[in-house]
């Protein structure tokens, strides 16, 4: 669990960044649009990702130092291969932390938010078609840039996968190159092991290493940030903040966990929340709105707070 909501933890930006990139087990759906959650319970598959990562590293080390090195392959080359496999597997996460445009979770959520903004009118645009169309044009330009960023990130990730697979092929080739003339990979027992371990190492790194490493970084951040803050702050110290909802819609009062939709007698709505809005709170509060515009307006404002 990321943290107990009853503790009213106020996460710093570095903590929220790593939380959003850690594997999570849910998706946010609003009126036909969906996005990965940023602040939700973590995925139950995390132990599997750790197993795959450790298996990949173990296979790599065994293959390199127990088979390839004894067959005459240069140890320095083996060491570079082991390090490169792991580094390339976690590189998408490292880029996401350092470069905003490479943060695939944030970009996907920005696209989701922008699509909702295009579909939903501001209250001030109710009787002003030209202002609405002008804002939509601005949002569509922003959407094109976000999709370019998303495509670039995907291309880079595929490139890293191709290089990992190429390293696996290179390991097989290096073993084949030191075999005596007339021998094939399938004619020696170690040849079959090299093929199997090289392929499994690449697959396990691709599937598990980035997700396991992302969770490890989040977990270490939680231990050094959350627990320290809990020692310093007074129990029950709530910091309620309010966000006005400037979008058209028939809003209904609703409360879930630490977030609440408050509607005055004139129909104006605002969102009261404590420190951070979780995605399950967005989902639940949106579902309690009977009006599509209200669901979308509420979601936009909550996503703006998250992002």
């Amino acid at each position: 669990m990321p943290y107990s909501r009853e503790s009213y933890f106020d996460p710093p930006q570095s903590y929220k960044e790593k939380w959003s990139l850690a594997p999570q087990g849910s998706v946010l759906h609003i009126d036909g649009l969906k996005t990965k959650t940023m602040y939700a319970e973590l995925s139950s598959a995390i132990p599997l990702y750790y197993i795959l990562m450790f298996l990949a590293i173990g296979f790599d080390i065994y293959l390199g130092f127990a088979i390839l090195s004894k067959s005459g392959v240069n140890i320095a080359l083996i060491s570079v291969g082991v390090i490169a496999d792991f580094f390339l597997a976690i590189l998408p996460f490292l880029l996401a932390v350092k470069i905003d445009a490479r943060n695939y979770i944030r970009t996907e959520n920005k696209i989701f938010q922008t699509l909702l903004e295009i579909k939903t009118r501001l209250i001030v645009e109710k009787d002003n078609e030209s202002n609405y169309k002008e804002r939509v044009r601005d949002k569509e330009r922003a959407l094109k840039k976000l999709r370019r960023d998303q495509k670039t990130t995907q291309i880079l990730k595929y490139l890293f996968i191709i290089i990992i697979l190429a390293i696996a092929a290179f390991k097989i080739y290096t073993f084949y190159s030191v075999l005596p003339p007339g021998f094939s990979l399938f004619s020696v027992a170690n040849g079959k092991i090299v093929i199997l371990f090289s392929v499994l190492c690449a697959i396990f790194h691709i599937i598990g290493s980035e997700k396991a490493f992302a969770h490890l970084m989040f977990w270490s951040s939680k231990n050094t940030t959350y627990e320290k803050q809990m020692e310093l702050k007074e129990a029950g110290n709530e910091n309620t903040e309010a966000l006005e909802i400037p979008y058209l819609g028939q809003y209904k009062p609703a409360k879930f966990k630490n977030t609440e939709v408050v509607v005055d007698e004139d129909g104006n709505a605002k969102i009261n929340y404590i420190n951070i809005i979780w995605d399950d709170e967005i989902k639940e509060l949106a579902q309690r709105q009977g009006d599509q515009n209200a669901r979308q307006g509420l979601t936009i404002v909550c996503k703006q707070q998250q992002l």
Side-chain angles (χ1 to χ4, degrees):
M1 184 175 183
Y3 66 88
S4 170
R5 282 182 242 220
E6 287 69 31
S7 67
Y8 306 116
F9 175 48
D10 188 8
Q13 186 58 38
S14 60
Y15 181 98
K16 291 192 288 184
E17 194 82 19
K18 291 170 184 173
W19 181 9
S20 67
L21 290 166
Q24 298 178 22
S26 56
V27 176
L28 180 63
H29 290 265
I30 300 291
D31 293 333
L33 298 175
K34 66 178 181 178
T35 188
K36 292 184 175 70
T37 54
M38 294 185 68
Y39 308 125
E41 297 290 349
L42 301 185
S43 172
S44 59
I46 286 173
L48 174 61
Y49 298 139
Y50 274 100
I51 291 170
L52 293 176
M53 180 179 73
F54 288 131
L55 282 174
I57 294 171
F59 286 170
D60 224 357
I61 292 172
Y62 176 79
L63 178 62
F65 296 98
I67 298 179
L68 295 181
S69 65
K70 291 181 180 179
S71 300
V73 180
N74 186 283
I75 291 180
L77 191 62
I78 293 169
S79 300
V80 169
V82 172
I83 295 169
D85 272 339
F86 182 69
F87 178 72
L88 287 165
I90 68 171
L91 190 51
F93 169 81
L94 298 177
L95 291 176
V97 171
K98 295 295 183 182
I99 305 172
D100 188 63
R102 300 286 76 82
N103 189 321
Y104 41 90
I105 298 296
R106 185 175 294 276
T107 300
E108 183 174 320
N109 275 265
K110 285 181 178 178
I111 290 172
F112 173 78
Q113 176 192 324
T114 305
L115 288 170
L116 288 175
E117 288 174 325
I118 290 171
K119 295 171 65 175
T120 311
R121 290 197 183 217
L122 291 163
I123 294 172
V124 296
E125 295 169 344
K126 182 177 180 181
D127 300 314
N128 195 323
E129 187 71 20
S130 61
N131 280 4
Y132 169 66
K133 288 182 178 179
E134 183 179 352
R135 184 174 64 85
V136 166
R137 284 193 293 269
D138 290 341
K139 292 299 177 183
E140 286 175 341
R141 284 192 290 269
L143 186 61
K144 287 180 182 178
K145 181 183 183 305
L146 288 169
R147 282 180 165 155
R148 284 197 301 270
D149 288 342
Q150 186 181 50
K151 188 173 182 180
T152 300
T153 302
Q154 289 172 339
I155 290 171
L156 286 173
K157 187 164 187 175
Y158 291 142
L159 177 62
F160 301 149
I161 290 173
I162 290 170
I163 296 173
I164 290 172
L165 293 173
I167 292 173
F170 182 72
K171 291 172 191 171
I172 297 170
Y173 173 76
T174 54
F175 181 78
Y176 174 72
S177 66
V178 297
L179 288 177
F183 282 78
S184 71
L185 288 169
F186 296 100
S187 64
V188 293
N190 279 350
K192 298 172 185 176
I193 294 174
V194 168
I195 294 172
L196 179 63
F197 276 30
S198 296
V199 172
L200 288 179
C201 175
I203 292 173
F204 290 172
H205 266 313
I206 291 167
I207 296 173
S209 292
E210 182 194 353
K211 292 182 175 64
F213 187 77
H215 176 263
L216 180 62
M217 292 298 99
F218 167 74
W219 178 79
S220 63
S221 178
K222 176 181 176 180
N223 284 351
T224 57
T225 307
Y226 175 63
E227 293 176 6
K228 182 178 180 180
Q229 190 179 112
M230 289 302 100
E231 290 175 0
L232 297 175
K233 73 190 294 292
E234 295 180 7
N237 182 20
E238 301 179 27
N239 181 25
T240 303
E241 299 179 63
L243 298 169
E244 301 292 334
I245 304 179
Y247 292 91
L248 286 170
Q250 299 296 318
Y251 294 92
K252 295 180 180 180
K255 187 178 189 304
F256 183 72
K257 304 292 185 182
N258 292 341
T259 304
E260 181 179 15
V261 180
V262 178
V263 184
D264 64 21
E265 57 186 15
D266 296 322
N268 300 313
K270 66 178 181 180
I271 298 168
N272 292 336
Y273 69 98
I274 301 175
N275 296 329
I276 189 170
I277 301 175
W278 291 48
D279 284 271
D280 65 344
E281 293 171 341
I282 300 175
K283 181 178 179 180
E284 183 66 27
L285 294 175
Q287 286 177 345
R288 296 183 187 182
Q289 305 301 314
D291 177 71
Q292 178 176 314
N293 290 330
R295 287 195 298 273
Q296 295 173 355
L298 181 150
T299 303
I300 292 167
V301 174
C302 288
K303 278 296 167 188
Q304 287 171 343
Q305 188 279 333
Q306 288 185 333
L307 291 164

